[in-house]
Amino acid sequence: MTASPPTAVPFFPPTLFEADRPALLGLLREVGLDPEQRFILGSRTAAFEELLRADLGAADVVACSSGTSALSLILWAMDIGPGDEVIVPAFGCAPLASSVVTVGATPVFADIRPDTMTMDPDAAERLVTERTKAVLPAHMFSVMADMPRFAALTERHGLRLLEDSAVAQGGVLRGVPAGLWGEAGVYSFVQVKTCGMPGEGGVVITRDAALGERVRMLRNHGQHAGRRFVHHALGVNSRFDEIQAAFQTHRYAGFPARLARRAEIAAYYTERFTSLIDHGVTPPPPDQDGRCFYVYTVLADAREALAAHLAEHGVATHVYYPQPLPAQGAFAPYAPPGARWPGAEEAARRHLALPVHHLLTDAQVMRVADLVCAFATGHR
Ligand SMILES: *Cc1c(COP(=O)(O)O)cnc(C)c1O
C-alpha cells in the first residue's frame, strides 16, 4: 500500500461516517436484539418515511431498495410500458434510460443546455409525439432542472411529469422541494449522494397519495401492508433495511448543516473561478435558487490536462459521464440514426467534478481553488 501524501484531497473521504460510528453500532445492536426481529420494512422504516414526508410536505414517501428501483417503480405505478415513449435527458446517469427500458417503454433523448447541463425544455418539446407519455428531467450535479417550464410543457401536452431528483435531496426551487415538482420523484441514499448512507437505498416522494399507495404495493411483491401473501398485482422486491432507516433518521437533523457546508465551499469556488471564464474554465451558473451541491463541476476546455494537474498535486477529481447516454452501447438501440446531441457531447467532453464534501477543511478548499486558478492562468 502506498500512503497518500499528507496534502491529498480525496474526492470522498474515508471518514465520511466516522462521527456516526458509535450511533450506527448502537442501532445495529438495537435492531438486532429487538424482540420483534424485523429487519426490513418495520417500524423504523415507517418512521423514516414519515419524517421525510412531514419535512417535505409530501403526500407520501415510500422507501425502496435504490434510487434506480424507485424510478422504475414510479413508471410502473403510472402504467407506463410497451409502446409508450418517455423523454429523458441525453446526458446523465444510466438509470435515466434504463428505468424506462425496464418497464418496456422507449427512452427518447433530448439535448441538454450547455450551461446548466440539465434537459433543455425546448429540445424536449420538439420530441413530443402521440406516443409520448411522460417527461423525466433530471437535476444534474448541483443545478435543478427548469421545473417550471417542464411543468408548463407537460400541462400543455397532457403528459405525466416525473423527476429524477436522486442527487437533489435538500434542493428547493421557488419554494418547492426537489421531487415534488413532478407527480413523483426519487432520492438515492447511496453513500455519495447528498444524504447518503453506508449502503443501498432510496425513496419515492410524491404529492399523489394514490400513486404512493401503488408504489408501496409494487415494492413488496404486490402485497398491501399488513396482508402478507395476498398479491394484488405483480410486484418486485424493493424493500428497505431497518438498520439503515434508523441510521438515516439519526443523521437527518445534521443534514441541513452538511448541505450548508457544501454550499459554502461551492460559493467560494465560484467566487474564485468566475474570473477564469476567459481562460477556459467555467464555474456553474451563479444563481442561488434550486441549487444543491451533490457535486461541484466546472467546464474546462483542457479537461484532461486540468485533471492531471490536480492529480499531480494530490487532488482527486471525477468525470461522471464521459459519453452522452445515446452514445452508450446499452442505449444506442434507442438513438435515432444520425441524431446528434451537441449540448450533451460538449458536457461529456468538458465537465470535471471537484471535491465538495462537507468534511473538507478551509485549507483544502483553498488549495483546490489555488490549483485550478494557477492552471487556468498558466502559472502552474
Ligand atoms: C445515483 C443516481 C440514480 C440512481 O440511484 P441509485 O440509488 O444509485 O440506484 C439515479 N439518477 C441519478 C441522476 C443518480 O445520480
Side-chain angles (χ1 to χ4, degrees):
M1 215 167 88
T2 50
S4 312
T7 52
V9 184
F11 199 74
F12 289 108
T15 50
L16 203 53
F17 301 104
E18 193 63 30
D20 298 298
R21 192 209 306 224
L24 180 56
L25 292 175
L27 292 169
L28 182 64
R29 172 174 287 271
E30 183 189 303
V31 174
L33 296 178
D34 190 325
E36 249 201 333
Q37 292 293 289
R38 188 101 195 239
F39 302 108
I40 47 151
L41 298 189
S43 58
R44 293 169 182 88
T45 302
F48 177 51
E49 290 173 336
E50 177 53 24
L51 174 69
L52 285 180
R53 194 204 61 71
D55 191 33
L56 296 163
D60 203 358
V61 170
V62 186
C64 42
S65 61
S66 69
T68 304
S69 177
L71 271 182
S72 297
L73 288 175
I74 297 171
L75 289 161
W76 201 3
M78 287 179 166
D79 273 324
I80 290 169
D84 298 334
E85 293 177 352
V86 179
I87 298 174
V88 305
F91 182 70
C93 70
L96 274 168
S98 65
S99 61
V100 176
V101 175
T102 299
V103 298
T106 304
V108 175
F109 296 103
D111 204 5
I112 57 163
R113 283 180 34 181
D115 55 344
T116 61
M117 290 184 266
T118 59
M119 185 155 69
D120 177 353
D122 294 322
E125 190 155 24
R126 285 194 291 274
L127 294 169
V128 173
T129 70
E130 69 249 34
R131 285 149 64 102
T132 308
K133 277 284 152 45
V135 179
L136 171 49
H139 309 314
M140 190 55 60
F141 302 136
S142 63
V143 184
M144 282 178 66
D146 191 344
M147 295 314 294
R149 289 202 52 208
F150 284 112
L153 185 167
T154 48
E155 170 109 32
R156 203 155 51 238
H157 294 276
L159 303 172
R160 322 239 10 203
L161 178 61
L162 62 150
E163 211 175 325
D164 183 346
S165 42
V167 303
Q169 184 177 3
V172 176
L173 178 66
R174 298 198 193 169
V176 178
L180 289 177
W181 272 95
E183 292 169 62
V186 306
Y187 298 147
S188 165
F189 302 137
V190 153
Q191 78 195 68
V192 297
K193 302 293 162 82
T194 56
C195 196
M197 64 189 194
E200 189 92 90
V203 285
V204 169
I205 48 246
T206 180
R207 43 190 170 84
D208 177 347
L211 186 71
E213 191 52 40
R214 281 213 72 194
V215 169
R216 213 165 262 289
M217 192 171 73
L218 293 170
R219 79 164 165 188
N220 193 13
H221 299 301
Q223 301 165 99
H224 276 303
R227 302 206 38 214
R228 279 184 77 198
F229 306 122
V230 179
H231 303 276
H232 300 273
L234 190 67
V236 293
N237 174 358
S238 180
R239 299 181 300 220
F240 201 80
D241 182 282
E242 281 287 279
I243 296 163
Q244 298 285 12
F247 188 60
Q248 285 299 74
T249 301
H250 160 78
R251 291 183 86 230
Y252 199 64
F255 178 44
R258 296 194 295 274
L259 266 189
R261 174 62 181 156
R262 285 170 182 255
E264 183 182 44
I265 295 166
Y268 177 79
Y269 282 156
T270 295
E271 190 193 308
R272 295 282 310 269
F273 300 160
T274 300
S275 62
L276 303 182
I277 296 175
D278 294 334
H279 298 274
V281 175
T282 307
D287 321 62
Q288 296 294 314
D289 199 27
R291 292 308 151 92
C292 179
F293 286 89
Y294 157 58
V295 159
Y296 186 96
T297 36
V298 295
L299 292 170
D301 295 343
R303 194 253 313 270
E304 306 310 327
L306 174 57
H309 174 71
L310 290 167
E312 240 165 68
H313 293 85
V315 175
T317 59
H318 203 68
V319 173
Y320 275 78
Y321 312 117
Q323 284 189 319
L325 281 172
Q328 299 275 2
F331 307 119
Y334 306 98
R340 296 293 297 270
W341 294 267
E345 287 162 24
E346 187 187 323
R349 193 170 57 243
R350 295 182 68 211
H351 79 281
L352 186 69
L354 308 177
V356 75
H357 62 80
H358 68 281
L359 293 174
L360 289 172
T361 64
D362 287 350
Q364 287 177 313
V365 174
M366 280 160 77
R367 185 173 155 71
V368 173
D370 288 348
L371 285 164
V372 172
C373 291
F375 175 87
T377 54
H379 301 296
R380 317 174 201 174

